[in-house]
Amino acid sequence: MNSLTNQVSALTRLTASTPNWLFVDTYIDIASGKAKSNRKAFHRLIKDCESKDLEIVITKNISQFGRDTVEVLEGLNKLRELGVRVIFEQEGLDTADTDSALMITIIESIAQAENESRSENIKWGYKRHVAQGTSKLYNRKCYGYENDENGLLGIKNEEARNVRLIFELYLGGFSIIGIKRELEKRGIKTPTGKEKWSKRTIDVMLSNEKYIGVVRLLNAGEHQEHYVSENNHPAIISKEQFEAVQIEKKNRSNVVKTDDGVKRKSRKYSSKREK
């Protein structure tokens, strides 16, 4: 609000100090960035321009004029049709002195730069919270867990029993398809409450380190830093059982990696069995 007050004061002083200019009104829309606004003040501005009450519109910068590039360009085109001059104070742009095509190019370039900067800021913030251990992603729940009143992960007993069953069935010789059929036969619902389980859901669960209390963020294959939180929350599966499943999954695979690094189909049949 202090920033907004300063913006209004600065632009009001500008109009007062410019010969032949008469200050008419201030148009302000205030809304949360998380929710869409119908921009009542902006629409009132357009109506005043249509009524020929305004000849010049001054705004602090492009980002204050519209929420995105499309909205900025639509607003500019509308005001140009009404013969209204638009000045972007911060960028030093004036529709009276700038060719329309050039103005559009400049606006799109500035918008793209702002979007890239915003994206980098988001990535930086995400990375910083992960490094400091304050990221909420450390306590993002999955099947078998729930968040307590402090947002921390705790075991959801009924779902945890199903997780243990899946691991036990796999180590007992069941294939993924066999586990799928067994869960459906027992009437156990999926994480989303459906009756039919997908093979991928079960496969992902069998490789999820979260079940041994480990959270891994910023995958090493995509980022330079790699953060692992051991004993982040209560474990549902023992580390020994989890590792046994990973070894079994590798043994059952019919894909091998040769010395030259090329993956090829093994001539051996998969050792996984359906039950």
Side-chain angles (χ1 to χ4, degrees):
M1 293 304 296
N2 288 334
S3 174
L4 179 60
T5 301
N6 292 335
Q7 289 179 41
V8 172
S9 297
L11 296 180
T12 302
R13 287 195 300 271
L14 175 63
T15 59
S17 63
T18 304
N20 301 321
W21 280 14
L22 175 65
F23 175 75
V24 177
D25 204 346
T26 301
Y27 302 83
I28 302 172
D29 282 309
I30 302 174
S32 167
K34 296 181 180 179
K36 287 191 174 182
S37 166
N38 56 14
R39 304 197 72 194
K40 293 181 180 179
F42 186 80
H43 293 308
R44 184 166 62 86
L45 168 75
I46 297 297
K47 286 184 177 181
D48 287 349
C49 290
E50 291 173 339
S51 301
K52 306 300 181 182
D53 294 331
L54 301 175
E55 294 179 326
I56 302 172
V57 172
I58 309 173
T59 184
K60 175 65 178 175
N61 52 41
I62 291 173
S63 63
Q64 301 292 332
F65 187 77
R67 292 167 293 191
D68 52 45
T69 309
V70 173
E71 191 172 71
V72 170
L73 294 177
E74 287 178 349
L76 277 178
N77 288 332
K78 180 66 176 178
L79 294 178
R80 187 177 70 248
E81 292 172 2
L82 296 171
V84 176
R85 175 183 172 191
V86 181
I87 299 173
F88 296 104
E89 194 264 340
Q90 185 171 296
E91 290 85 2
L93 294 176
D94 188 336
T95 57
D97 302 326
T98 311
D99 176 79
S100 296
L102 177 59
M103 175 71 81
I104 290 173
T105 301
I106 292 172
I107 289 172
E108 289 179 338
S109 298
I110 292 174
Q112 181 178 354
E114 288 180 347
N115 286 336
E116 290 174 354
S117 175
R118 190 179 299 114
S119 176
E120 288 303 314
N121 287 337
I122 291 172
K123 290 178 182 177
W124 179 83
Y126 167 61
K127 196 173 181 180
R128 179 171 60 86
H129 285 300
V130 169
Q132 294 176 346
T134 57
S135 173
K136 292 183 179 180
L137 293 176
Y138 282 110
N139 289 295
R140 183 170 59 182
K141 66 181 180 179
C142 66
Y143 188 75
Y145 289 100
E146 60 186 350
N147 295 115
D148 62 18
E149 62 275 8
N150 297 316
L152 301 177
L153 283 177
I155 293 176
K156 196 171 184 178
N157 291 325
E158 185 177 351
E159 292 183 358
R161 284 196 295 271
N162 296 333
V163 172
R164 296 188 189 100
L165 173 63
I166 289 171
F167 276 78
E168 290 167 2
L169 289 174
Y170 192 80
L171 288 177
F174 277 72
S175 67
I176 299 293
I177 294 177
I179 294 174
K180 165 182 160 62
R181 291 172 178 168
E182 183 65 21
L183 293 174
E184 292 170 359
K185 186 176 73 174
R186 298 190 185 196
I188 297 174
K189 298 291 182 64
T190 71
T192 56
K194 297 179 181 178
E195 295 182 355
K196 297 293 183 181
W197 285 74
S198 73
K199 292 185 292 183
R200 175 166 175 74
T201 297
I202 297 170
D203 189 48
V204 169
M205 288 175 66
L206 288 168
S207 300
N208 192 348
E209 288 181 302
K210 191 164 280 189
Y211 292 130
I212 57 173
V214 174
V215 175
R216 193 180 301 270
L217 297 178
L218 296 180
N219 189 286
E222 301 176 1
H223 303 272
Q224 290 181 348
E225 290 84 5
H226 185 210
Y227 298 92
V228 180
S229 177
E230 302 277 354
N231 301 316
N232 184 76
H233 51 273
I236 293 176
I237 302 298
S238 70
K239 188 174 181 181
E240 293 74 21
Q241 191 177 22
F242 183 83
E243 290 176 348
V245 166
Q246 307 319 303
I247 293 172
E248 181 65 14
K249 287 184 75 174
K250 187 177 293 185
N251 290 338
R252 293 187 191 186
S253 173
N254 61 349
V255 177
V256 296
K257 193 172 184 180
T258 61
D259 293 336
D260 57 5
V262 178
K263 287 185 176 180
R264 298 192 180 117
K265 289 285 183 179
S266 170
R267 292 182 180 179
K268 294 181 180 180
Y269 289 100
S270 169
S271 62
K272 59 186 177 182
R273 298 179 290 137
E274 289 187 22
K275 285 194 175 183

